[in-house]
Amino acid sequence: MGAAVSAHPPVFDVVIIGAGVVGCAIARELSQYTLSVALIEAQNDVGKGTSKANTAILHTGFDTKPDSLESRLLRRGYRRLLEYAPSAGIPIERLGAILIAWDETQAAALDDLWQNANRNGVIDAEIVSADEIYRLEPNLGSGAIAGMKIPGESIICPFTPPLAFATEAVVNGVTLIREFEIAAIERQAPDFYALRSANDTVCARFIINAAGLHADTIDLMLGHETFHVTPRRGELIVFDKLSRPLVNHVLLPVPTAVSKGVLVSPTTLGNVLLGPTAQDIEDKHNTNTTADGIAALLEAGRRIMPALIDYEVTSSYTGLRAATEHRDYQITAYPDESYICVGGIRSTGLSASMGIAEYVVELLTEQCGLTLSKKPDYQRVRMPNIGEAFERPYQSTEAISRDPAYGQIICFCERVTLGEIRHAMSSPLPPRDLDGLRRRTRAQLGRCQGFHCSATVKSILDTTLERSAGEAQ
Ligand SMILES: Cc1cc2nc3c(=O)[nH]c(=O)nc-3n(C[C@H](O)[C@H](O)[C@H](O)COP(=O)(O)OP(=O)(O)OC[C@H]3O[C@@H](n4cnc5c(N)ncnc54)[C@H](O)[C@@H]3O)c2cc1C
């Protein structure tokens, strides 16, 4: 099927609203078929909403409610992402997690959690003694009385998955439209929609709503009111890389109904994270950190790992979970309206993204009656590695001899080279600002937060953006 030509703008077969990790995964999944697809994003880049500010754990789903949609799609997404990541250049480290009980009530909950894990197919979880925990984690604060090991819990780079999915989608023909905030949607008889921003219109036969925190607003534009998103603020602290040897596993608390709780976890960039908090707020744009949130984290951190608190803090940030009044994902197909809502993807969307994408394609074919045929010439992509556990360009004699710019370091804290910055700027999905370059290369993410390199990085960015603007005219 191709985009039709008429008086109105071309009609895409499918428009996906929202280029977070979920929308990007759906776009990648659909790019395998002979469809015209547009991925629409209000901001100037993919992965710039909740998807850039999470705890970056690839969850096994051991603690989700068995048979819930979240549980099923999380298990599916976990397996798919583990298979896909190595060839796509997505950094993942299978460190395993230890869930720690600090009192008798929490210890009593371990048995139920172990059974829950088994019901969810996580059959290698194992209850362990305090002695075993301290053998595995000598720097843990005193007072742990029992725990559970979950070997499959992993850490994942949060930045690369949406970029990899969107790049693969674009390379395979998906149209990415950035800086297009959908303000109104009108049904155009007989069979398509007009999606309007302040200045432009895109048309689509099918709509997939993956707008994250704003999925309820889009749902309302289409006449539905089945859930309401209440942002659940999660604040996190990033500790300096020197603290990394302190922690061997992801250290989890016993989860509650509201949140997975405050954890200590290594990151794929080589730091240590402490967080997140969980506080319901009203404002969907308020990603400020707060004095109270940071104080609460430091207090929790002092108990979990006192030595960690002595290390320098590199940064802090806030992410907003798309929590709703329901305890499960809100994914619904409306076949008569050619519309699928993918809402309420609150605490596990990074891990579940590829499972959600497969499920959405099933809904499109089985419930909405879309006939799909695979493209014969699908192209896979490989993203540049930004993970600490894998070879980086500055360490690669092969990369440096191919292009000496890979030996020229621009960001010293994160050892980012001129070659990587140039590569990001000439990629199929180049960044449009420093934040985008940061998520693609790590430049300015280190302990000086760009104090040393930001002028140089900005000048490379501006020169390239000006050149591309000149070429486009
Ligand atoms: C503190 C915290 C910790 C977390 N930890 C983990 C974890 O360890 N592991 C895990 O798997 N998950 C975790 N999550 C959850 C995960 O980050 C989210 O589930 C996931 O990022 C949601 O992706 P999304 O694509 O649905 O939303 P988003 O990333 O928010 O993307 C939605 C996009 O839609 C766009 N949009 C909205 N409205 C419009 C409009 N009108 N027009 C056009 N575009 C629009 C937005 O700009 C945005 O880019 C965590 C979340 C938080 C907040």
Side-chain angles (χ1 to χ4, degrees), residues 33-179:
Y33 302 97
T34 50
L35 288 171
S36 62
V37 178
L39 175 60
I40 295 190
E41 171 52 49
Q43 303 194 62
N44 69 0
D45 202 0
V46 308
K48 221 174 168 177
T50 298
S51 298
K52 79 164 186 181
N54 53 46
T55 319
I57 309 290
L58 179 58
H59 294 296
T60 54
F62 77 92
D63 58 345
T64 46
K65 185 166 175 272
D67 297 327
S68 61
L69 187 58
E70 179 178 22
S71 167
R72 285 189 280 131
L73 299 186
L74 183 49
R75 289 297 293 154
R76 204 163 161 182
Y78 173 85
R79 281 193 296 269
R80 284 289 317 274
L81 204 38
L82 273 186
E83 272 164 29
Y84 177 73
S87 63
I90 297 173
I92 290 182
E93 294 177 51
R94 198 174 187 271
L95 298 182
I98 309 177
L99 190 135
I100 294 157
W102 296 97
D103 59 37
E104 292 297 342
T105 314
Q106 293 177 2
L110 289 178
D111 197 42
D112 280 352
L113 278 161
W114 181 82
Q115 289 187 31
N116 198 82
N118 274 270
R119 279 204 293 278
N120 283 333
V122 182
I123 52 168
D124 53 358
E126 185 191 343
I127 295 192
V128 287
S129 66
D131 285 352
E132 175 67 355
I133 295 175
Y134 284 103
R135 191 186 67 76
L136 295 169
E137 290 293 342
N139 296 302
L140 190 72
S142 60
I145 59 174
M148 184 167 82
K149 270 200 313 190
I150 309 110
E153 291 281 301
S154 306
I155 57 172
I156 178 168
C157 172
F159 306 134
T160 312
L163 287 165
F165 299 151
T167 303
E168 197 160 306
V170 166
V171 164
N172 288 290
V174 169
T175 304
L176 171 66
I177 306 176
R178 308 192 227 185
E179 297 177 78

Side-chain angles (χ1 to χ4, degrees), residues 360-472:
V360 166
V361 171
E362 282 166 16
L363 292 176
L364 271 175
T365 52
E366 291 165 17
Q367 293 200 22
C368 300
L370 199 66
T371 308
L372 297 180
S373 56
K374 285 239 173 177
K375 283 176 188 161
D377 49 357
Y378 187 74
Q379 292 177 58
R380 296 291 307 270
V381 300
R382 184 177 182 84
M383 304 303 287
N385 166 51
I386 60 169
E388 199 72 358
F390 308 90
E391 188 181 65
R392 302 268 312 284
Y394 78 91
Q395 298 165 315
S396 161
T397 41
E398 189 276 319
I400 297 167
S401 55
R402 187 165 29 87
D403 178 355
Y406 284 110
Q408 192 178 333
I409 292 187
I410 300 288
C411 166
F412 282 87
C413 299
E414 297 297 290
R415 298 179 173 87
V416 182
T417 64
L418 177 61
E420 288 164 281
I421 294 175
R422 283 187 180 153
H423 183 274
M425 294 308 300
S426 61
S427 68
L429 208 165
R432 290 187 176 168
D433 60 15
L434 284 174
D435 173 76
L437 195 54
R438 199 179 288 134
R439 283 181 287 112
R440 285 162 176 81
T441 62
R442 290 170 61 155
Q444 306 181 80
L445 267 177
R447 55 173 69 103
C448 92
Q449 293 282 290
F451 181 81
H452 175 78
C453 67
S454 60
T456 315
V457 174
K458 176 118 178 49
S459 124
I460 302 170
L461 177 83
D462 288 347
T463 312
T464 323
L465 290 177
E466 277 160 27
R467 199 169 47 234
S468 335
E471 283 164 10

Side-chain angles (χ1 to χ4, degrees), residues 264-380:
V264 168
S265 173
T267 74
T268 55
L269 303 189
N271 301 82
V272 175
L273 268 186
L274 170 66
T277 55
Q279 183 196 12
D280 286 353
I281 59 172
E282 284 302 313
D283 184 355
K284 292 181 176 178
H285 300 279
N286 184 355
T287 53
N288 296 332
T289 46
T290 64
D292 286 352
I294 298 297
L297 288 179
L298 291 175
E299 194 186 323
R302 231 170 250 119
R303 170 156 202 199
I304 304 168
M305 188 162 280
L308 179 63
I309 308 303
D310 294 336
Y311 282 83
E312 298 258 323
V313 168
T314 297
S315 63
S316 59
Y317 62 91
T318 294
L320 301 176
R321 308 167 185 87
T324 73
E325 61 276 49
H326 307 286
R327 295 282 312 277
D328 204 353
Y329 291 171
Q330 298 300 299
I331 305 183
T332 309
Y334 298 93
D336 294 344
E337 299 167 36
S338 305
Y339 166 53
I340 298 178
C341 178
V342 187
I345 315 295
R346 37 178 205 157
S347 309
T348 49
L350 168 59
S351 312
S353 52
M354 294 189 89
I356 295 172
E358 274 187 351
Y359 181 61
V360 166
V361 171
E362 282 166 16
L363 292 176
L364 271 175
T365 52
E366 291 165 17
Q367 293 200 22
C368 300
L370 199 66
T371 308
L372 297 180
S373 56
K374 285 239 173 177
K375 283 176 188 161
D377 49 357
Y378 187 74
Q379 292 177 58
R380 296 291 307 270

Side-chain angles (χ1 to χ4, degrees), residues 17-35:
I17 304 171
V21 70
V22 172
C24 292
I26 296 169
R28 192 205 77 88
E29 198 69 34
L30 284 175
S31 72
Q32 299 177 77
Y33 302 97
T34 50
L35 288 171

